[in-house]
Amino acid sequence: MKAILIELPNQHSSLFTVKKVKKHDFDATFHFHDFCELSFVTKSNGKRIIGDSITSFHEGDLVLMSPNLPHMWYEDLPITTYKKNKSVEAIVIYFPINFLEKVCNDSGELSKKNALFEKANRGMRFIGKSKKKITKHLEKLTTMEGLPQIIEFFKIVNIMLHTNEYELLAGLGYSNSYNEKDTERMNQVYKYIMMNFTRPISLETISSVAHMTPPAFCTFFKKRAQKSFTRFLNELRTGHACKLLQDEKLSISDVCYESGYQNFVNFNKYFKLLIGKTPSMYRKEFSMIRNFN
């Protein structure tokens, strides 16, 4: 998968930059940049691609990424059970990877920092009590300036350095080997898939989007996404199905077709292969957890 290298303004002159995002939808471009990024989604839901990982995200999603890790957030298209008016709100912090060296020469803390960003090369999704603590500091940080804001930032850093409450997203062997001439082609492919995965997408159709023959496209896509087009599409569809299964107003048959599957046999097959249980088992377990809480 190819990604665009983007320039972030006003980064080199400060320790970190905080941005509050509030707009109609995310910029659906697979991209990367030279800075660490901590993203907290406060309002939105959809699909998140980080490296070779593709999963659903929801309000409260908190992810740390090292520099040069390709990523993309894509707002879900409205369906009958969702609100029609989409909007996105998020808090994002950008900072250089050598930020701690500027203020600290303690070898132990610097070693922890290096270990943290080695993991963040795959994307770290924070969970549990650590996520709650970090998000509280993030919300306070956006209301501050000067030294109080810097102190609040380092409170967040301290939590990230010492927590074990996280999930790694991209695969262990993922690497960003981009080629500039492929950038536009891969972004067109991604955008088409995101906009159309709930409908049939033939290999011939997606190959034509990339202006390639089907055999050439399969090789091209697998080399860059580090997985086959078929697996990528099924991961996207089953992830979407997991989200829909949480709404008991939809029958499992409805979920099947609204996730892009054309028959129930394939839906069950790929869902169990990728999620590890049948759709009905997933819904039952989710319902039990929700009722317990």
Side-chain angles (χ1 to χ4, degrees), residues 243-265:
K243 181 177 178 179
L244 299 186
L245 286 166
Q246 297 170 24
D247 183 350
E248 295 185 354
K249 294 178 182 177
L250 289 172
S251 69
I252 293 180
S253 178
D254 289 335
V255 171
C256 166
Y257 293 108
E258 290 194 9
S259 298
Y261 288 97
Q262 299 305 297
N263 64 73
F264 207 69
V265 173

Side-chain angles (χ1 to χ4, degrees), residues 6-253:
I6 65 169
E7 294 291 333
L8 297 174
N10 304 321
Q11 297 298 315
H12 296 282
S13 60
S14 61
L15 183 64
F16 63 91
T17 298
V18 183
K19 182 170 74 172
K20 290 193 76 172
V21 177
K22 189 172 184 178
K23 53 187 178 179
H24 179 66
D25 52 26
F26 283 109
D27 296 326
T29 302
F30 195 55
H31 68 278
F32 61 98
H33 44 71
D34 292 333
F35 291 85
C36 305
E37 177 179 328
L38 181 64
S39 294
F40 174 44
V41 178
T42 55
K43 183 179 180 182
S44 184
N45 58 79
K47 304 295 176 290
R48 176 190 60 219
I49 302 174
I50 296 180
D52 61 355
S53 163
I54 176 164
T55 53
S56 294
F57 72 87
H58 310 275
E59 292 180 9
D61 193 69
L62 178 66
V63 173
L64 174 68
M65 293 173 287
S66 289
N68 301 315
L69 177 61
H71 55 277
M72 169 184 176
W73 271 252
Y74 193 92
E75 178 86 344
D76 272 344
L77 297 174
I79 59 173
T80 54
T81 54
Y82 294 169
K83 294 179 180 179
K84 295 295 182 181
N85 297 321
K86 299 190 303 176
S87 63
V88 168
E89 294 180 19
I91 301 170
V92 185
I93 302 182
Y94 300 103
F95 52 96
I97 197 164
N98 64 342
F99 73 100
L100 197 56
E101 286 85 341
K102 296 181 180 181
V103 296
C104 173
N105 61 5
D106 182 276
S107 60
E109 291 302 301
L110 293 178
S111 177
K112 291 175 185 175
K113 189 268 301 187
N114 292 337
L116 173 68
F117 287 100
E118 183 68 26
K119 290 178 284 192
N121 281 328
R122 296 170 58 188
M124 296 176 69
R125 176 178 175 266
F126 294 103
I127 57 176
K129 293 180 180 179
S130 296
K131 186 186 84 168
K132 291 180 181 179
K133 291 177 183 177
I134 292 170
T135 54
K136 284 182 180 179
H137 289 302
L138 271 172
E139 289 166 348
K140 288 176 64 177
L141 184 145
T142 61
T143 67
M144 298 174 170
E145 294 181 353
L147 185 59
Q149 188 183 58
I150 294 173
I151 292 171
E152 207 66 28
F153 171 69
F154 278 104
K155 288 179 180 178
I156 293 171
V157 171
N158 188 57
I159 295 169
M160 294 193 298
L161 287 177
H162 296 94
T163 186
N164 58 4
E165 294 181 298
Y166 60 84
E167 299 170 349
L168 298 180
L169 300 173
L172 182 60
Y174 179 79
S175 62
N176 175 24
S177 55
Y178 69 95
N179 180 327
E180 289 297 334
K181 74 176 184 178
D182 295 329
T183 297
E184 183 58 29
R185 174 178 283 167
M186 291 310 298
N187 271 293
Q188 290 302 318
V189 168
Y190 251 162
K191 288 178 182 179
Y192 185 89
I193 295 171
M194 288 296 186
M195 294 177 66
N196 295 281
F197 74 89
T198 57
R199 298 190 288 269
I201 303 178
S202 69
L203 181 56
E204 288 72 19
T205 298
I206 196 63
S207 299
S208 69
V209 172
H211 305 290
M212 303 177 81
T213 64
F217 173 78
C218 289
T219 301
F220 175 81
F221 189 92
K222 188 169 185 178
K223 182 177 179 181
R224 288 151 183 82
Q226 299 179 22
K227 62 184 70 177
S228 70
F229 167 69
T230 299
R231 184 174 180 91
F232 177 87
L233 184 58
N234 280 298
E235 285 182 4
L236 179 59
R237 285 173 170 167
T238 54
H240 190 64
C242 287
K243 181 177 178 179
L244 299 186
L245 286 166
Q246 297 170 24
D247 183 350
E248 295 185 354
K249 294 178 182 177
L250 289 172
S251 69
I252 293 180
S253 178

